[in-house]
Amino acid sequence: MASVHESLYFNPMMTNGVVHANVFGIKDWVTPYKIAVLVLLNEMGRTGEAAVSLMERRRLNQLLLPLLQGPDITLSKLYKLIEESCPQLANSVQIRIKLMAEGELKDMEQFFDDLSDSFSGTEPEVHKTSVVGLFLRHMILAYSKLSFSQVFKLYTALQQYFQNGEKKPVEDADMELTGREEGERKMEKEELDVSIREEEVSCSGPLSQKQAEFFLSQQASLLKNDETKALTPASLQKELNNLLKFNPDFAEAHYLSYLNNLRVQDVFSSTHSLLHYFDRLILTGAESKSNGEEGYGRSLRYAALNLAALHCRFGHYQQAELALQEAIRIAQESNDHVCLQHCLSWLYVLGQKRSDSYVLLEHSVKKAVHFGLPYLASLGIQSLVQQRAFAGKTANKLMDALKDSDLLHWKHSLSELIDISIAQKTAIWRLYGRSHGGLWPRGSLAPTDGSLLLPASTMALQQAQMLLSMNSLEAANAGAQQNNTESFAVALCHLAELHAEQGCFAAASEVLKHLKERFPPNSQHAQLWMLCDQKIQFDRAMHDGKYHLADSLVTGITALNSIEGVYRKAVVLQAQNQMSEAHKLLQKLLIHCQKIRNTEMVISVLLSVAELYWQSSSPTIALPVLLQALALSKEYRLQYLASETVLNLAFAQLILGIPEQALSLLHMAIEPILADGAVLDKGRAMFLVAKCQVASAASYDPLKKTEAVEAAIENLNEAKNYFAKVDCKERIRDVVYFQARLYHTLGRTQERNRCAMLFRQLHQELPSHGVPLINHL
C-alpha cells in the first residue's frame, strides 16, 4: 500500500528495525510518492489559468483529495490518474520528477526549499490552513527533521521509485509489438509478472496516521453499505496485518479486522480481534479520563457487551448470556444507564422465544425513550411489531406502531432504520395476506430466522419497490452509490420469488443474477439469495416431475435453513409415494415447530399431513388435522393460509361424497386465492371447482347436467392455463385426463381424442402417482 519497502521509510519512531508502539505519534512523513504529489501541486501553482481549461482544473481538484488522503501508489498509476485529468500537466510532472531523480541530491534539497515560497506574498498560491496548505506544511516539517543519512535514503528511494515507474511503460510498449515468437512472448509475460510482484512487495510499508485513518474509515463504510466495493476478505486482512505489524496497538485496525472476520463467519478470529480491540483501548488510554478509572471500566463493560453480541450472532447463547451478565454487573457498578439499555435489548434477543419476552421489550422501549436513545427505541418498536405480528395481533395497530417509529427515523435521520422499517411493512402486508414463512429485516433486536416472505399483494409490492428505489441518506463514500444492506437483499428476494410464483421465471432469473452481482457469495447477506435460488429451483423441479433433481436440492436448502429443508424433504418423499417416511418426518417437524412457535410452518405441516391421509384413502382422519390448521390460521389472522386450509377441507368433503357442501366452502375461500395467490394455487382452486361441479351434477336432469359439465370444462381450461404458466406438467396431465372423460360424456369425440393424446404423452414422460388421480389436489 505504500510506495517503497518498509526499510526505506524514515519514521523517527523506528530505530534498529524496531517500530515503537506510538508509530502514529508523527502525523506524517516524507515518501517518494508524496514527493511526486508535491511536484504535482507545485506544477499546478506554476501553470497559469490560461494553460489549463476550467474542466481540467476541476478534475484536478477532485483528484487531489484522494491523492492526499489515500495510500501510496506506484508512479505509473499516478501518471495515469493525472493524464486522465490533464494530459499537459502529466507531461510536466513526469519531466520534473525525471530531472530530480536523474540529477543530484541537491536538486531535491532545492525543491523542498522552494516549497516555502508557496505561502509567501500578499496573495499566496496556497493558504496555510487549507487542505493543500496543511499537507505542504506537514511535508516541509517532516523533511526538515530528517538527518543527513535519512535524506540520502529518501533520495535513493526516490530514484528506485522512479525506475520502477518507468519499467511498466517500456514493458507495455514491448508487449504491443507484433511478429514475436511464442517463446519470446512467454518469456516477456514471465518478466512482466515478476515486475508486478515486485511492485506488490514494494507497497508493503507503513501508512501515515492520516492514510491509515482514511483507509479504515473507507473500508468500514464500504463493509456497511456496499460490500462489493470493499477489498476481499483475504486482501483486507492482509492489509490489516501489514498495518498492525508496524503498530500492534492500533485499536481501530483490530476492530476492522473483527468486522472482516465476521464476513467469513470466522468465530475464533472475530473473538480474537474484538478482545484485542478493547485491550488496546485500555492500554492506550483512548477511552480514559484524567484519572483513568472511568475509561477503563467503560471499555470493560462494552467489551463484555460486544462479546455477548458476537456469541449471539454465532448461536452460542449460553456464552452470550454469561458475557451479558458480566456487562450488566460492571454497568450497574458504574451506574451506566446507556450500557444497561443495550444490555436490556440483548436480554430480549436471548429470551425472545419465551412467552413473556414482550414485557422486557416494552420496558426497553420506554427506558430508551426516557434516556434519549432513538436508535434503541426504534429497534425496540420494530422488534415489538414483529413479535406481535407473529402473535396474531391486528395489522392496523402494527402499522400505527411503525408509523410512530418512522417519525423517530426521519427526525434523527436514521437511514438504516428507515430501510428496515419499509422492509418490515412489506413483511407485514404479506404476512396477513399470502404467508408461507417470513423474511424479516434484521436489526440488533430482530435477528433473521432465515425463512422468506413474499410480497404478493399490491401494497407489499409497493413497499418493496419503494425500498429498492430509495437512495441512502448517508453520504456515499468512495463512489458507493448503492446501499447493499440486508433490507435491500430481502426486497430483491421478495421480487425474485414473486415473479417465480407468477410463472415469470426469466424475470426471476434476472433478479437473482442482479442479487449475485450485488451480494457476492462471500458477502454476509449472500445466504438470503442462495436460499431463494434453491427454493425456486426446487419448486420448478417439483412442477416438472423431476423428483430426483428436487431431492438433490434439499441438501443445499437444509444447509441454509434446516426447518425449510426438512419440510421440502418430506414433500419429495410424499411425491415419490413414500408415505410412511414422509409421515415420520412431518411428525418430527411438527413437534419441533410447535416448540419454537413457528406457526406458519406448523400450519403448512398440518396441511401436508392431511394430504398424506387422503392420499392413503383415509379422508376422515384428515378432517381433524385440517380443522386444527384452520383454527390456527384464524387465531393468528393468516388469511391466505386460512383460505388454503378451507380449500383442503372442500377437497376432503368432495372425497367423502358431499360435493354440494364442498362447492359452498369453495365460494368462501377462492376469492383471496384468485386475488393474491400464486399461479399454482389458482390452478388448484379452479381444478377443484371443476371437480365439485361435476360431482354435484350427478343428480341433475340431463340438460342441467350438460350445462354443469360444460362449465366444468371451462374451469378446467382456466386451470390448465394457470398450470402451463408455471410449467407444471404433472397437474396438466391430471387436467387433460379429466377433460377427456368429460368430453366423452358429452359425446365430443374430437376434443376427447386430443386430450387423450396429450394425456398419453405426458403420462409416458412423467412418473405415475401410484394413487387415484381423484385423490390428488
Side-chain angles (χ1 to χ4, degrees):
M1 292 177 60
S3 58
V4 293
H5 195 268
E6 58 266 22
S7 62
L8 299 179
Y9 271 82
F10 316 102
N11 177 15
M13 306 308 297
M14 181 166 58
T15 55
N16 298 324
V18 178
V19 183
H20 291 227
N22 57 344
V23 66
F24 290 146
I26 301 296
K27 289 286 183 183
D28 235 333
W29 54 80
V30 188
T31 65
Y33 162 75
K34 290 173 183 173
I35 293 178
V37 175
L38 290 173
V39 171
L40 170 63
L41 294 173
N42 191 257
E43 288 295 322
M44 287 178 64
R46 293 171 58 183
T47 305
E49 294 185 3
V52 180
S53 67
L54 181 61
M55 288 302 299
E56 288 178 337
R57 187 166 293 276
R58 183 176 298 174
R59 286 196 295 266
L60 284 171
N61 291 336
Q62 291 176 342
L63 176 65
L64 278 182
L65 193 59
L67 289 181
L68 298 180
Q69 292 181 329
D72 293 7
I73 58 177
T74 59
L75 187 59
S76 57
K77 188 174 181 180
L78 180 63
Y79 285 157
K80 185 178 179 181
L81 291 174
I82 301 173
E83 190 173 4
E84 290 174 354
S85 302
C86 181
Q88 177 186 353
L89 195 62
N91 187 45
S92 302
V93 171
Q94 189 173 5
I95 293 173
R96 188 87 176 271
I97 294 175
K98 182 178 181 180
L99 291 174
M100 191 185 305
E102 293 180 350
E104 298 178 358
L105 180 59
K106 65 179 182 179
D107 296 328
M108 187 178 72
E109 288 274 2
Q110 185 62 41
F111 172 73
F112 275 95
D113 291 340
D114 295 341
L115 283 179
S116 303
D117 298 338
S118 302
F119 304 108
S120 60
T122 55
E123 294 184 0
E125 298 174 359
V126 180
H127 293 283
K128 291 184 177 181
T129 56
S130 66
V131 175
V132 174
L134 289 172
F135 176 75
L136 289 174
R137 290 164 62 192
H138 287 160
M139 291 298 100
I140 294 171
L141 180 63
Y143 182 81
S144 64
K145 289 184 177 181
L146 296 179
S147 64
F148 178 77
S149 61
Q150 289 174 332
V151 171
F152 180 75
K153 287 182 179 180
L154 175 61
Y155 184 69
T156 306
L158 177 64
Q159 291 177 322
Q160 184 65 37
Y161 182 68
F162 171 75
Q163 292 172 6
N164 291 338
E166 291 294 313
K167 282 181 183 178
K168 195 173 186 307
V170 173
E171 289 174 356
D172 290 342
D174 291 342
M175 292 296 289
E176 292 174 358
L177 295 178
T178 57
R180 296 177 182 273
E181 295 181 0
E182 188 67 26
E184 293 177 350
R185 215 178 273 147
K186 182 177 180 182
M187 182 181 66
E188 288 177 356
K189 184 178 184 301
E190 291 175 354
E191 292 174 355
L192 181 62
D193 292 342
V194 169
S195 67
I196 292 175
R197 286 196 296 269
E198 288 175 352
E199 282 184 2
E200 291 175 352
V201 171
S202 69
C203 293
S204 59
L207 299 177
S208 67
Q209 180 181 358
K210 287 185 176 180
Q211 288 177 325
E213 289 174 351
F214 176 74
F215 171 74
L216 295 178
S217 64
Q218 180 191 53
Q219 291 299 315
S221 176
L222 290 174
L223 286 182
K224 179 183 176 183
N225 294 321
D226 193 1
E227 195 175 337
T228 57
K229 288 186 173 62
L231 293 177
T232 61
S235 301
L236 180 56
Q237 195 60 45
K238 180 181 177 182
E239 299 295 348
L240 290 173
N241 291 339
N242 181 53
L243 194 61
L244 291 170
K245 178 175 67 174
F246 292 95
N247 185 11
D249 293 331
F250 195 16
E252 288 77 6
H254 286 288
Y255 191 78
L256 186 59
S257 176
Y258 155 70
L259 296 178
N260 188 46
N261 287 311
L262 280 182
R263 297 165 70 189
V264 293
Q265 304 295 311
D266 187 347
V267 59
F268 175 78
S269 299
S270 299
T271 308
H272 180 78
S273 297
L274 182 64
L275 294 177
H276 270 289
Y277 167 68
F278 284 100
D279 287 345
R280 267 46 185 193
L281 282 185
I282 296 171
L283 288 174
T284 58
E287 291 285 313
S288 300
K289 290 187 177 180
S290 56
N291 56 9
E293 294 178 1
E294 173 60 25
Y296 179 81
R298 176 182 171 86
S299 295
L300 284 181
R301 56 183 176 267
Y302 279 100
L305 179 61
N306 280 272
L307 190 60
L310 176 64
H311 284 305
C312 186
R313 181 187 180 104
F314 287 103
H316 308 154
Y317 298 114
Q318 187 175 1
Q319 294 94 322
E321 192 170 350
L322 292 174
L324 196 57
Q325 289 175 359
E326 179 70 11
I328 293 172
R329 184 186 62 80
I330 303 175
Q332 286 176 337
E333 292 176 355
S334 305
N335 200 25
D336 188 345
H337 294 288
V338 175
C339 184
L340 285 172
Q341 271 307 111
H342 284 278
C343 293
L344 184 59
S345 301
W346 280 103
L347 271 179
Y348 162 74
V349 174
L350 292 174
Q352 60 182 311
K353 297 301 180 183
R354 297 199 303 263
S355 58
D356 61 341
S357 60
Y358 70 93
V359 178
L360 272 177
L361 196 52
E362 290 177 348
H363 185 63
S364 172
V365 173
K366 292 177 182 176
K367 285 289 187 181
V369 173
H370 175 72
F371 290 111
L373 303 172
Y375 192 92
L376 271 184
S378 177
L379 277 180
I381 295 173
Q382 303 266 6
S383 299
L384 197 58
V385 166
Q386 179 177 329
Q387 193 267 345
R388 288 182 173 175
F390 286 132
K393 303 299 180 183
T394 55
N396 60 332
K397 293 183 179 179
L398 301 182
M399 289 298 180
D400 287 340
L402 286 177
K403 182 181 67 175
D404 295 337
S405 69
D406 286 342
L407 293 177
L408 283 174
H409 302 158
W410 294 107
K411 181 179 179 180
H412 299 280
S413 298
L414 302 174
S415 59
E416 180 183 355
L417 296 185
I418 293 171
D419 297 343
I420 293 175
S421 178
I422 296 176
Q424 194 92 284
K425 290 175 186 175
T426 305
I428 290 174
W429 278 112
R430 196 64 189 98
L431 179 67
Y432 289 96
R434 162 80 172 115
S435 180
H436 190 326
L439 183 61
W440 296 81
R442 179 176 60 205
S444 296
L445 309 185
T448 305
D449 64 357
S451 52
L452 191 64
L453 184 65
L454 304 180
S457 69
T458 305
M459 290 303 298
L461 181 60
Q462 182 189 42
Q463 294 294 329
Q465 295 285 2
M466 184 187 302
L467 177 59
L468 292 176
S469 61
M470 278 188 62
N471 292 322
S472 174
L473 296 183
E474 297 181 2
N477 196 357
Q481 297 298 326
Q482 57 186 13
N483 194 356
N484 287 355
T485 58
E486 185 187 28
S487 302
F488 280 74
V490 168
L492 287 168
C493 288
H494 284 170
L495 293 178
E497 289 219 8
L498 172 63
H499 283 90
E501 277 192 351
Q502 300 305 318
C504 305
F505 295 112
S509 299
E510 288 297 320
V511 176
L512 285 170
K513 181 181 177 182
H514 178 70
L515 269 165
K516 293 173 184 178
E517 294 173 354
R518 193 162 181 172
F519 301 92
N522 61 350
S523 62
Q524 56 184 331
H525 303 313
Q527 60 180 358
L528 296 174
W529 65 257
M530 289 178 180
L531 179 61
C532 176
D533 189 18
Q534 293 282 316
K535 288 169 70 175
I536 291 175
Q537 291 184 46
F538 177 90
D539 290 337
R540 294 194 69 179
M542 291 297 294
H543 295 166
D544 208 16
K546 298 177 180 178
Y547 303 138
H548 63 286
L549 178 59
D551 194 23
S552 65
L553 293 168
V554 168
T555 306
I557 296 175
T558 306
L560 296 167
N561 187 333
S562 58
I563 294 176
E564 190 72 32
V566 173
Y567 176 72
R568 302 269 173 162
K569 179 66 177 178
V571 170
V572 173
L573 292 174
Q574 182 179 345
Q576 293 173 339
N577 204 22
Q578 302 180 36
M579 301 302 177
S580 58
E581 292 84 352
H583 186 264
K584 291 177 183 177
L585 210 57
L586 287 172
Q587 288 297 329
K588 291 180 181 178
L589 182 60
L590 180 62
I591 295 171
H592 177 69
C593 291
Q594 287 173 339
K595 184 179 178 181
I596 64 173
R597 302 174 185 273
N598 190 342
T599 309
E600 295 95 328
M601 185 57 72
V602 167
I603 297 171
S604 299
V605 171
L606 288 174
L607 294 179
S608 297
V609 170
E611 189 175 350
L612 278 176
Y613 286 146
W614 68 56
Q615 286 186 359
S616 303
S617 302
S618 303
T620 53
I621 307 177
L623 284 175
V625 177
L626 290 173
L627 291 173
Q628 183 185 354
L630 183 60
L632 283 172
S633 302
K634 296 289 186 181
E635 179 185 352
Y636 287 90
R637 295 179 172 85
L638 305 176
Q639 180 189 6
Y640 192 88
L641 280 178
S643 301
E644 195 172 341
T645 306
V646 173
L647 194 72
N648 284 271
L649 276 170
F651 187 72
Q653 289 180 336
L654 173 63
I655 297 176
L656 291 172
I658 43 178
E660 294 82 5
Q661 293 188 19
L663 201 55
S664 64
L665 269 178
L666 274 175
H667 290 309
M668 295 169 49
I670 200 169
E671 182 180 346
I673 293 174
L674 294 179
D676 288 332
V679 169
L680 182 65
D681 292 335
K682 294 177 183 179
R684 291 172 61 217
M686 297 309 298
F687 191 17
L688 183 56
V689 169
K691 288 180 180 179
C692 292
Q693 285 174 332
V694 172
S696 301
S699 59
Y700 294 171
D701 56 79
L703 182 59
K704 195 174 180 181
K705 182 177 181 179
T706 301
E707 293 176 356
V709 171
E710 289 178 348
I713 290 175
E714 290 297 322
N715 289 329
L716 287 173
N717 283 328
E718 188 176 352
K720 184 168 64 175
N721 292 334
Y722 283 134
F723 292 144
K725 284 183 179 179
V726 291
D727 198 24
C728 189
K729 298 178 182 178
E730 181 185 23
R731 297 186 184 274
I732 294 175
R733 176 185 64 179
D734 297 346
V735 170
V736 296
Y737 167 79
F738 203 58
Q739 276 185 318
R741 295 188 61 176
L742 295 181
Y743 281 130
H744 180 73
T745 304
L746 296 175
R748 297 163 65 173
T749 308
Q750 186 176 359
E751 290 87 348
R752 180 202 66 187
N753 292 342
R754 186 179 69 250
C755 291
M757 182 182 66
L758 184 56
F759 167 77
R760 183 179 179 181
Q761 292 175 353
L762 293 172
H763 192 64
Q764 290 175 346
E765 181 180 348
L766 299 172
S768 178
H769 288 298
V771 293
L773 289 170
I774 193 66
N775 285 358
H776 183 68
L777 176 59

